[in-house]
C-alpha cells in the first residue's frame, strides 16, 4: 500500500505542477504579450539571448558538423557511397542537430540565467515592488523575454546551420579528401527549403519553451539562495526535456507523409 501511496502522491504532484505551468502560461500570454510593451527590455533581452549565445552555439555547430561528416564518411565508405556525406550532413544539421543543439545550449545558458535573475528578484521582493509601483511584472519581465527568445532562436539556428555545414565541409575536404566543388554542389542539390524552414520553426518553439520555463521557475522560487539554485536547475532540466519532446512532436508533424 505504501508503494501505491507514493505513486499517488507523485501523480498528484505532477498534475499540480502541470496546472501551475498552465496558469502561468495563460497569464504570460494574456498579460505579457499584449500592449503595453517595453521595447528597450525586448532589445536588451535579444542581445543577451542572441548575441551573447552566438559563440557557444557556433562552436557547438562547427564541431558537430565536423564529427557528423567524419562518422558518415566512415559508414558510407563501406558501401562506396562517400558522395552522400555532404547531403546527409546538410539534412542532419538543418533538420535536427542545428535546432536541437542550439536549443539545449541556449537552455543551459539563457534558461538558467532567466531563472536565476527572476528568482533573485522574487526572494528579494523586487517583483512585489514592481506590483506596488503599478507595473505588471508579466509585461515588464516575462513578455520581453518570451518575445526575444522566439525571435532570436531562429536567427541563432540559421547561423548554426551555416557554421555546421561549413564544419562538415572543412573536415570533408581537408581530412577526408572529398572534392570541395562536388561537396558544395551535393549540398545545394539535396537541400530543400522545407529542410531549413522546419528547423527554424522548431527553433521558435524551443525559444518559447526556454523563456517560459525560465520565467516560471524564477517567478515561483522561494527559500532564499537555495530556492534560487533549485529554480535554476529545474529551469534547465525542464527546458531540455520539453525541447526533446517538442522536437519529436514537431518532426512527426512537419515531415508526416
Amino acid at each position: 500500500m505504501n508503494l501505491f501511496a507514493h505513486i499517488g502522491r507523485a501523480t498528484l504532484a505532477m498534475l499540480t505542477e502541470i496546472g501551475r505551468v498552465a496558469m502561468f502560461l495563460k497569464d504570460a500570454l494574456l498579460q505579457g504579450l499584449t500592449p503595453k510593451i517595453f521595447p528597450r527590455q525586448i532589445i536588451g533581452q535579444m542581445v543577451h539571448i542572441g548575441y551573447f549565445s552566438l559563440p557557444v552555439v557556433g562552436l557547438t555547430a562547427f564541431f558537430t558538423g565536423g564529427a557528423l561528416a567524419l562518422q558518415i564518411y566512415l559508414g558510407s565508405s563501406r558501401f562506396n557511397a562517400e558522395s552522400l556525406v555532404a547531403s546527409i550532413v546538410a539534412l542532419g544539421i538543418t533538420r535536427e542537430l542545428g535546432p536541437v543543439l542550439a536549443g539545449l545550449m541556449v537552455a543551459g545558458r539563457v534558461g538558467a540565467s532567466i531563472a536565476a535573475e527572476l528568482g533573485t528578484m522574487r526572494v528579494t521582493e523586487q517583483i512585489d515592488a514592481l506590483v506596488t509601483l503599478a507595473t505588471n511584472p508579466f509585461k515588464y519581465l516575462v513578455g520581453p523575454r518570451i518575445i526575444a527568445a522566439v525571435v532570436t532562436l531562429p536567427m541563432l539556428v540559421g547561423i548554426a546551420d551555416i557554421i555546421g555545414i561549413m564544419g562538415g565541409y572543412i573536415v570533408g575536404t581537408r581530412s577526408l579528401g572529398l572534392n570541395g566543388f562536388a561537396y558544395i554542389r551535393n549540398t545545394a542539390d539535396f537541400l530543400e527549403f522545407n529542410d531549413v524552414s522546419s528547423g527554424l520553426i522548431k527553433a521558435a518553439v524551443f525559444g518559447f519553451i526556454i523563456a517560459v520555463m525560465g520565467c516560471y521557475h524564477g517567478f515561483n522560487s522561494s527559500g532564499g539562495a537555495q530556492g534560487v539554485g533549485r529554480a535554476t536547475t529545474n529551469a534547465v532540466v525542464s527546458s531540455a526535456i520539453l525541447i526533446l519532446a517538442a522536437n519529436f512532436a514537431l518532426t512527426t508533424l512537419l515531415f508526416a507523409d
Side-chain angles (χ1 to χ4, degrees), residues 121-134:
M121 295 181 68
R122 171 61 73 185
V123 299
T124 57
E125 300 182 350
Q126 295 181 49
I127 295 179
D128 297 330
L130 287 175
V131 177
T132 303
L133 296 173

Side-chain angles (χ1 to χ4, degrees), residues 189-208:
D189 289 342
F190 283 93
L191 197 61
E192 298 179 355
F193 175 78
N194 185 47
D195 300 323
V196 179
S197 63
S198 62
L200 300 182
I201 293 172
K202 289 181 179 182
V205 175
F206 297 164
F208 181 80

Side-chain angles (χ1 to χ4, degrees), residues 49-50 53-54 56-57 100-113 149 152-153 156 206-207 210 243:
I49 295 172
S53 297
L54 187 57
V56 64
V57 171
V100 171
L101 291 179
L104 293 176
M105 291 298 103
V106 174
R109 180 188 173 276
V110 176
S113 174
T152 56
L153 254 295
L156 281 174
F206 297 164
I210 293 168
I243 284 173

Side-chain angles (χ1 to χ4, degrees), residues 24 27-46 49 114 117-118 121-122 125-148 211 215 219:
F24 181 86
D27 293 334
L29 294 176
L30 296 181
Q31 300 181 37
L33 301 182
T34 56
K36 149 182 180 184
I37 63 174
F38 295 86
R40 183 175 297 179
Q41 285 288 103
I42 295 174
I43 295 174
Q45 290 301 320
M46 290 178 68
I49 295 172
I114 292 175
E117 183 179 0
L118 297 186
M121 295 181 68
R122 171 61 73 185
E125 300 182 350
Q126 295 181 49
I127 295 179
D128 297 330
L130 287 175
V131 177
T132 303
L133 296 173
T135 301
N136 190 327
F138 282 94
K139 293 185 182 296
Y140 188 75
L141 298 175
V142 178
R145 285 166 172 79
I146 293 177
I147 294 173
C215 291
F219 250 67

